[in-house]
Amino acid sequence: MTRIGFIGLGNMGGPMAANLARAGHAVQVFDLVPESLERAIKAGCIVAGDAREAVTGCDLAISMLPAGEHVRGLWLSGGQDLLGALPAGALVIDCSTIDVASARAVGAAAKARGIRFLDAPVSGGVAGAAAGTLTFIVGGESSDFEAAKPVLACMGQNLFHAGALGAGQIAKMCNNMLLAIHMAGTAEALALGVKEGLDPGVLSTIMGKSSGNNWSLERYNPWPGVMENAPASRGYEGGFMTRLMVKDLGLAMALAEHAHSAVPMGALARNLFNLHAAKGQGAKDFSSILELYRDNTDPG
């Protein structure tokens, strides 16, 4: 059993912490949302009074936060400076999806204090977090990655060492840019077929067995009622929010600018999701991009 401090119990962090507790670890958690703490208690976690208390006595700490500013504010001096609450040799795993500079800044500060640090953003969505089937995309020292594997395996099935510190974030940005592109394309294709009289379920099956198949179509279908467990079939609630996809696409665009890399399809996807969020849909799952392609006369 490992004593683990866990900060951030949102749609992803909450199920991840619960899976660690189910695996027999002592998980000390903190979040600013009372309802998230109540769910954590039911899952067998130990609720701390604040973030510092959550990591006290822990040799391993995990954070799952919305953006780089939150990660810096949590771990660095000038913010809550949680690094100062950890013993030398402790391992910090940040599972947030953030900018590369923030990941490297926290990692450098941790190293200066004798603390190990990994950036380990995840893929797999809320369903994957609940089922413990996430993909972890890890940047940092290979020895630290090996040390983290037993804990990461309690939350995910696919563990990848992408490279040096920050590499996890780079790989995640590339992945999410591609995800946004094929989700928008899937929604566009389904909307076209339905407008011409096709059943969305039948069309999804056809494309799923043809060259147009992709993860969004096969595992996360954006058309309501086609896939029972997809967010589209529960009002686009409880998934990966559109505003977070907009954030991730912004990170990808900044990365592309830094690399002098042309990303025309990524830029178009960002514009589409940004437009959707601007229409008041930022809190809905990103698969609700389908609604941009539908009008009130569409069936389904």
Side-chain angles (χ1 to χ4, degrees), residues 37-294:
L37 295 175
E38 291 173 7
R39 287 191 291 269
I41 292 173
K42 293 177 181 178
C45 298
I46 305 161
V47 170
D50 56 29
R52 180 171 286 269
E53 182 182 330
V55 302
T56 298
C58 297
D59 289 317
L60 192 150
I62 299 172
S63 52
M64 184 58 153
L65 302 172
E69 62 191 89
H70 305 109
V71 175
R72 293 192 305 272
L74 182 72
W75 292 110
L76 298 183
S77 57
Q80 296 190 53
D81 189 22
L82 256 64
L83 292 176
L86 293 171
L91 175 61
V92 172
I93 306 172
D94 180 52
C95 296
S96 317
T97 297
I98 60 175
D99 59 288
V100 177
S102 291
R104 288 175 174 165
V106 177
K111 185 176 181 179
R113 294 186 182 225
I115 295 170
R116 299 172 292 165
F117 181 85
L118 295 171
D119 65 294
V122 303
S123 180
V126 176
T133 58
L134 290 171
T135 293
F136 284 85
I137 310 165
V138 184
E141 296 290 339
S142 58
S143 58
D144 296 339
F145 172 64
E146 292 299 323
K149 271 185 175 181
V151 170
L152 297 180
C154 297
M155 302 178 286
Q157 288 184 340
N158 303 298
L159 313 178
F160 295 105
H161 185 221
L165 186 63
Q169 300 300 337
I170 295 170
K172 176 64 185 293
M173 290 173 204
C174 293
N175 178 80
N176 274 25
M177 184 176 73
L178 178 59
L179 172 61
I181 291 168
H182 64 63
M183 178 58 80
T186 297
E188 189 172 296
L190 286 171
L192 174 61
V194 170
K195 285 181 178 179
E196 285 297 309
L198 297 184
D199 179 277
V202 172
L203 179 57
S204 293
T205 300
I206 291 169
M207 293 193 296
K209 299 298 182 181
S210 305
S211 56
N213 191 30
N214 62 74
W215 186 90
S216 292
L217 182 69
E218 185 178 26
R219 303 280 297 277
Y220 214 85
N221 197 292
W223 200 279
V226 170
M227 190 170 291
E228 182 180 355
N229 295 322
S233 295
R234 51 176 188 269
Y236 299 106
E237 299 295 331
F240 182 57
M241 290 187 288
T242 295
R243 64 170 174 256
L244 293 180
M245 177 57 86
V246 171
K247 180 209 78 171
D248 288 1
L249 287 168
L251 293 174
M253 295 305 101
L255 182 67
E257 183 176 357
H258 180 267
H260 304 292
S261 180
V263 288
M265 295 184 70
L268 178 56
R270 184 196 186 193
N271 287 339
L272 287 170
F273 281 97
N274 206 24
L275 175 62
H276 187 47
K279 290 178 176 290
Q281 306 304 309
K284 287 187 177 181
D285 180 77
F286 80 108
S287 63
S288 65
I289 192 72
L290 177 80
E291 295 180 342
L292 276 182
Y293 298 100
R294 300 176 65 184

